[in-house]
Amino acid sequence: MEDMAGGLARWVQLIHPDDAATALAALNQAEADATPYYVEYRFQNVLGNFIDVLDKGFFVTNTQGKAVTMLGMMQDISERKQAERALETERIHLRALYEAIPDGIIHFDRQGICLNIKAPAKFEPNRDIRGMIGRPSEEDLPPVLAEQIRDCRE
């Protein structure tokens, strides 16, 4: 923090208020345990905007094990965090669409393993169809349907 004008106190001031406690706790824990720290938080840049950063580093200790300095780096991960937020929003929208469709849906991977299943509306299976998840389609579907799915994969 010596390279930052104002040191540790200034660093804390520049952390988004909602993230300051978590970031400071990670730093303090790393110093107490003499372990590297790795924390993501929002940080105010020189333009006054908050950006997402990955902060990682470690403490250099003296022969008595006391921290004498800290070495670390901050990486701007704003683009990655923005992409993560967009993916989460898309996942929520897709889940809502998936649930709104009245038809049954079975989602398989390329090997024919069931990844997800949704029963059609007004369907009362004679067993728990969620048990199909993680299993090959051939084990649970009628042979004609399993063959159609195999044909689609080829």
Side-chain angles (χ1 to χ4, degrees):
M1 287 291 127
E2 276 66 41
D3 289 347
M4 177 181 289
L8 183 62
R10 181 66 179 142
W11 172 75
V12 172
Q13 288 176 343
L14 294 173
I15 297 173
H16 190 282
D18 294 344
D19 301 338
T22 302
L24 196 52
L27 189 71
N28 289 337
Q29 191 67 50
E31 182 178 15
D33 297 344
T35 58
Y37 64 92
Y38 180 97
V39 63
E40 294 179 5
Y41 55 88
R42 291 165 289 176
F43 190 77
Q44 191 173 24
N45 65 15
V46 295
L47 300 175
N49 302 314
F50 282 101
I51 60 171
D52 292 293
V53 296
L54 166 62
D55 194 353
K56 54 186 173 178
F58 61 95
F59 287 89
V60 177
T61 59
N62 62 18
T63 55
Q64 291 78 38
K66 183 180 183 307
V68 293
T69 192
M70 177 183 66
L71 296 175
M73 56 80 64
M74 285 183 194
Q75 178 182 1
D76 184 345
I77 58 169
S78 298
E79 287 183 19
R80 186 194 88 199
K81 295 299 265 188
Q82 183 178 8
E84 288 172 0
R85 288 188 288 272
L87 282 172
E88 179 61 15
T89 299
E90 187 68 17
R91 187 194 68 74
I92 290 167
H93 289 146
L94 286 174
R95 173 56 61 188
L97 177 63
Y98 185 80
E99 293 301 325
I101 295 172
D103 298 324
I105 301 171
I106 304 174
H107 179 195
F108 294 100
D109 69 8
R110 292 179 191 244
Q111 289 74 43
I113 304 298
C114 179
L115 301 175
N116 204 351
I117 188 165
K118 177 191 173 288
K122 299 181 183 176
F123 175 72
E124 295 182 26
N126 58 2
R127 66 186 179 91
D128 184 4
I129 62 174
R130 290 176 302 198
M132 291 176 59
I133 296 173
R135 297 166 45 97
S137 58
E138 291 83 5
E139 293 180 11
D140 294 296
L141 297 176
V144 172
L145 186 54
E147 185 177 335
Q148 290 174 348
I149 291 170
R150 270 194 308 276
D151 291 344
C152 289
R153 291 192 326 252
E154 296 173 357

